[in-house]
Amino acid sequence: MSIDGNRTYDEKELLLKIAEGDERSFGTLVKHHWPQVYGTALRLTKSPEQAKDLAQEMFLKLWNNRSKLPEVDNLGAYIYVAARHIVMDFMQKKVLHLDNMPHLADYFSENSVNHPQTSLELKELEQTVSAAVQALPERTRRVFVLHRFEGKSHKEIADLLNISEVSSKTYIVRALKDIRRYLSEHAGDNPVLLIFLLSKFFQ
């Protein structure tokens, strides 16, 4: 059962009515799920107007594909995935800039708890990152691990490995280039998650 204000409705019955073209039932669905969809879009785009447009686009697609709704077992999860695809497609093509990364980080961290698919995707990407690091040449990998994972300064690395600070910085640049290339070839088809992961580990 789902709540719409003071009304209670049967989710399956609602979806059947929408599939038959009942606009009033669809209005009930939109009213109930709009805050979630709009809120997610707003947090990621930081634009009320754009968030409104994306939310409208998501519900329009839902209406256009209403014949499939009776097959849905979990409406909340279904709408979450639909909204996620709409917003991420926009983020990928239009506004995927570094200043969006904190919002992406918050979004993925919070939703990975409630949505196992997001958590699984992040875990798989983290494993790919680990493989990318392991694929680096030995000296490059050593410098990268010391700097990015162990927090060593370039001066400390230079002293430890008997190299110059300039060489240490050069190894990091080379490592990041190789890692990004490896991830672009092996990280699947979710560039937003990929770039989020890069920002999380390699800022």
Side-chain angles (χ1 to χ4, degrees), residues 17 31 42 72-73 102 107 115 121 136 140 187 190-191 199 203:
K17 288 182 178 180
K31 182 179 179 181
L42 180 60
V72 175
D73 293 323
Y107 174 73
H115 299 278
E121 289 173 346
L136 294 171
T140 304
N190 196 327
S199 71
Q203 286 181 344

Side-chain angles (χ1 to χ4, degrees), residues 85-188:
H85 286 167
I86 290 289
V87 174
M88 285 189 172
D89 184 60
F90 171 79
M91 295 294 288
Q92 177 190 348
K93 295 178 180 177
K94 303 291 184 181
V95 295
L96 194 52
H97 302 303
L98 289 178
D99 57 358
N100 292 107
M101 292 310 172
H103 311 298
L104 284 171
D106 290 342
Y107 174 73
F108 286 120
S109 296
E110 292 176 11
N111 283 287
S112 63
V113 176
N114 299 318
H115 299 278
Q117 181 61 31
T118 300
S119 180
L120 178 61
E121 289 173 346
L122 282 173
K123 184 176 180 180
E124 290 176 347
L125 279 175
E126 288 171 359
Q127 292 173 344
T128 305
V129 169
S130 179
V133 173
Q134 290 302 312
L136 294 171
E138 182 178 353
R139 178 55 66 93
T140 304
R141 180 175 67 250
R142 180 63 174 149
V143 172
F144 183 82
V145 170
L146 285 171
H147 185 57
R148 296 306 174 108
F149 293 152
E150 298 184 18
K152 302 290 186 183
S153 68
H154 287 295
K155 185 179 186 309
E156 290 173 321
I157 294 172
D159 292 340
L160 281 170
L161 302 182
N162 194 28
I163 60 177
S164 68
E165 291 184 47
V166 172
S167 293
S168 177
K169 294 176 182 179
T170 300
Y171 279 123
I172 292 299
V173 171
R174 188 179 303 163
L176 288 174
K177 181 179 179 181
D178 289 347
I179 288 171
R180 289 190 178 97
R181 181 170 59 247
Y182 185 99
L183 292 179
S184 69
E185 296 172 354
H186 297 86

Side-chain angles (χ1 to χ4, degrees), residues 7-84:
R7 298 177 55 201
T8 301
Y9 61 82
D10 182 88
E11 192 172 273
K12 279 294 184 183
E13 180 181 351
L14 183 77
L15 295 181
L16 284 170
K17 288 182 178 180
I18 295 172
E20 293 170 356
D22 188 331
E23 295 182 4
R24 185 174 180 179
S25 294
F26 185 68
T28 297
L29 181 151
V30 172
K31 182 179 179 181
H32 181 64
H33 290 280
W34 178 271
Q36 172 195 356
V37 176
Y38 174 80
T40 296
L42 180 60
R43 286 175 58 202
L44 292 178
T45 65
K46 306 303 291 183
S47 165
E49 195 63 34
Q50 188 62 63
K52 180 181 178 181
D53 289 346
L54 290 173
Q56 290 176 338
E57 181 182 350
M58 195 285 294
F59 284 112
L60 177 61
K61 286 190 175 183
L62 205 65
W63 174 255
N64 289 338
N65 292 281
R66 61 188 178 276
S67 62
K68 299 178 181 179
L69 289 178
E71 304 170 10
V72 175
D73 293 323
N74 185 326
L75 180 59
Y78 183 82
I79 287 179
Y80 164 77
V81 172
R84 183 170 175 268

